[in-house]
Amino acid sequence: MAQNQFSMDLNLKAYPNVLTPDVDDDYTVKVDTQSTPLDLDDIARATAQRLGEETAKVRATLQVGMEVIAQAVASGFCVSTPLCYAQPMATGVVMEHELSQPVDREKVRVYASFRQGTAITEALAQAKLQLFLQPAATGPYIAGMTSAFYSEQTGSNGAVTRVPLPMEAGDMAVITGNGLKVVGSDPSVGVTLTSADDPQKSFFIPASKISPNTPKKLQFSLPAGITEGAWTVKVTTQYSGSQYLTKQPRSFTLPRPVYVGLAPEEPGTGSDSGSSGGNDNQEGSPL
């Protein structure tokens, strides 16, 4: 890597906003991420070049530093660094008679919450932004999948927002997007949920189990056997946007999983993730 290997150029892709059917000219914006993620070795090499040190020595230092931070968080400390602020968290419900017993990790979940630090905030503020138009996906397009049930939350400014509840087996779920209407005679037509941890485990929801079944909304009950964790979502249909059906079924799979139960928190977000996504495999053209 060269000394100035990071250009600080951030490409943004604009998608037609399928969640506002009454507005024709609005777009949602997402980052066009680099195709190859960086790992600890890449960061160590870049850091070593800036410091004029040996890569192996820098990597070992970074590894130990991260282990120290992780162990500090696991010891109950909040850790504030230029990269992020890390805080240990726990959730769960236990009965009174369990208070004197060893903690049941199936009932109590411990994790870390992350917020972006000043270094990332400043770097993103300095990044040069370039906006590209991402054409609408051909065939079905999934904007996201959430529970059909909401809770109302009041913010610090007094504003009330509706937040989807965690999805649970047997409850109603909603998929939003465009061109979603599940129709056609091909046996693959329907919604397929596949476990990210066990790809052999999947559930298929046919059109007869979906209501409403419209181009922009699919609602159905999550199968009773679905378990907590990450699931990939695929919609297959022969819907063409007119009275005619496509000869071959077309599918769209969310690039990121959705979560049944509580979703893990992502660094820099401080909130649950994995409930939405988009098709990141198309080439955009500059606006």
Side-chain angles (χ1 to χ4, degrees), residues 225-262:
I226 200 167
T227 54
E228 292 190 357
W231 292 80
T232 59
V233 182
K234 180 174 72 172
V235 171
T236 301
T237 182
Q238 291 174 264
Y239 178 71
S240 65
S242 65
Q243 60 179 330
Y244 302 102
L245 301 181
T246 60
K247 181 177 294 186
Q248 298 296 329
R250 296 182 293 186
S251 299
F252 185 93
T253 301
L254 267 175
R256 297 178 61 189
V258 299
Y259 288 86
V260 175
L262 291 174

Side-chain angles (χ1 to χ4, degrees), residues 34-45:
Q34 301 289 343
S35 59
T36 303
L38 300 183
D39 58 18
L40 185 60
D41 290 330
D42 297 316
I43 300 302
R45 281 192 291 271

Side-chain angles (χ1 to χ4, degrees), residues 137-145 173-183 186-194 203-207 210 212-220 232-239 248-255 258:
T138 301
Y141 168 75
I142 304 173
M145 173 174 163
V174 174
I175 295 176
T176 55
N178 197 39
L180 293 174
K181 189 174 182 178
V182 176
V183 292
D186 192 281
S188 66
V189 167
V191 176
T192 303
L193 305 176
T194 303
F203 294 92
F204 179 75
I205 298 95
I210 302 173
N213 181 1
T214 71
K216 295 185 179 296
K217 180 179 180 180
L218 306 177
Q219 184 167 309
F220 53 91
T232 59
V233 182
K234 180 174 72 172
V235 171
T236 301
T237 182
Q238 291 174 264
Y239 178 71
Q248 298 296 329
R250 296 182 293 186
S251 299
F252 185 93
T253 301
L254 267 175
V258 299

Side-chain angles (χ1 to χ4, degrees), residues 80-118:
S80 179
T81 73
L83 181 67
C84 68
Y85 179 89
Q87 178 180 354
M89 305 284 287
T91 184
V93 177
V94 297
M95 304 303 293
E96 183 177 8
H97 70 272
E98 296 177 296
L99 297 178
S100 60
Q101 300 176 5
V103 176
D104 185 348
R105 285 183 175 264
E106 292 187 358
K107 293 185 176 181
V108 177
R109 173 173 169 257
V110 291
Y111 59 98
S113 172
F114 295 89
R115 297 197 302 270
Q116 70 183 40
T118 56

